[in-house]
Amino acid sequence: MAAHAQQLTRPAVRLHGLTRSFRSRTVLDGIDLDLPAGQFTALLGHSGSGKSTLLRAVAGLDHGVEGAGRLWAPERVSVVFQDSRLLPWRRVLDNVLLGAEGGDTAERGRAALAEVGLEGRERAWPGELSGGEAQRAALARALVREPQLLLADEPFGALDALTRIRMHTLLRELWERHRPSVLLVTHDVDEAIVLADRVLVLENGRIGLDLTIDRPHPRSYREPKLGEYRERLLAALGVTEDH
């Protein structure tokens, strides 16, 4: 635990004055943000608030940012999207290994598939997988690169409720095993609370709330003590609940 606490003192990502505009609309407005190494962070915001834009900036995929922008990010970064983005003409293992380097890539790919519960499906075609299995394969593709930073853009948004809960458990287990820094973009307040140790709310191009979720894992959606966090996040999003 002491070693992990020391690790968290070193930022994995540092943004300073990051600004992104599309024509006359400023989506990100001078954002300053440090993401500590090994931390699991979730990013909430309304549709169109710039969550995916911020993730792309952190990933180094958006070259239109202004200001100081991205000051530092680790070399090994993996991104998981809502769509698994598996190539239909390649088998599952070949999809997992796409772009991977090193002499032991096939062995690492099989190990990653086993970690996500797809052992024995190496020769399957993407069309033979369920939605949950396809996202498991996408996670395996991210893991095989041994990322220091894992960026996830609403990776469970297209899944049914039960599959999503299983994927939550899997993602948290993978994080605990490998300890990359994680930035999860989501529109689901409960998903953010159950998975992350820190939740950011993006509003009007800035970080409107930076909330630490100080509860042990595993967490349950039904845990009463998570209600206070939920209310604070919903308030920051401008949502009120009828009782």
Side-chain angles (χ1 to χ4, degrees):
M1 292 297 293
H4 181 54
Q6 184 178 13
Q7 182 190 32
L8 287 176
T9 64
R10 303 193 305 270
V13 175
R14 174 160 287 172
L15 308 176
H16 178 65
L18 189 142
T19 299
R20 182 62 163 106
S21 299
F22 295 92
R23 295 184 179 179
S24 61
R25 180 176 177 241
T26 299
V27 178
L28 304 176
D29 188 11
I31 288 180
D32 295 331
L33 178 64
D34 281 2
L35 298 179
Q39 186 180 74
F40 197 127
T41 305
L43 179 64
L44 288 168
H46 294 287
S47 296
S49 62
K51 300 186 300 297
S52 295
T53 301
L54 178 57
L55 182 138
R56 287 177 56 83
V58 172
L61 300 175
D62 187 345
H63 303 294
V65 296
E66 305 167 24
R70 192 178 76 151
L71 294 182
W72 190 82
E75 179 181 352
R76 299 193 308 275
V77 180
S78 290
V79 185
V80 180
F81 298 95
Q82 183 173 350
D83 185 325
S84 65
R85 304 199 177 189
L86 300 179
L87 300 179
W89 57 87
R90 288 179 177 262
R91 296 186 187 270
V92 168
L93 180 58
D94 293 331
N95 266 286
V96 168
L97 297 179
L98 191 66
E101 299 178 351
D104 61 342
T105 53
E107 181 180 346
R108 283 164 37 212
R110 291 189 180 92
L113 283 169
E115 274 200 275
V116 301
L118 290 180
E119 186 174 10
R121 305 301 305 276
E122 294 87 354
R123 297 287 297 166
W125 295 103
E128 299 172 342
L129 303 181
S130 67
E133 288 173 332
Q135 283 303 87
R136 288 173 183 266
L139 280 174
R141 183 174 55 197
L143 285 175
V144 81
R145 290 156 180 75
E146 300 176 347
Q148 298 160 295
L149 174 63
L150 176 62
L151 303 172
D153 193 358
E154 300 197 36
F156 313 130
L159 303 179
D160 64 82
L162 292 178
T163 302
R164 183 184 299 179
I165 291 172
R166 296 189 188 102
M167 293 299 290
H168 288 170
T169 301
L170 174 62
L171 179 57
R172 186 71 195 190
E173 288 175 350
L174 293 172
W175 174 79
E176 290 176 349
R177 194 174 302 142
H178 296 278
R179 292 286 175 164
S181 302
V182 175
L183 179 61
L184 169 70
V185 168
T186 179
H187 63 275
D188 188 328
V189 170
D190 290 323
E191 180 172 273
I193 294 171
V194 167
L195 283 175
D197 299 307
R198 179 188 184 193
V199 182
L200 309 172
V201 176
L202 188 62
E203 182 180 12
N204 298 323
R206 295 178 177 270
I207 303 299
L209 179 65
D210 187 341
L211 182 64
T212 298
I213 309 297
D214 189 17
R215 296 296 302 163
H217 285 274
R219 298 175 189 153
S220 168
Y221 287 103
R222 299 178 180 177
E223 187 177 338
K225 292 185 179 179
L226 295 181
E228 179 182 345
Y229 296 113
R230 189 172 193 272
E231 288 180 6
R232 290 188 63 185
L233 290 168
L234 288 173
L237 291 165
V239 177
T240 58
E241 292 185 298
D242 295 327
H243 298 283

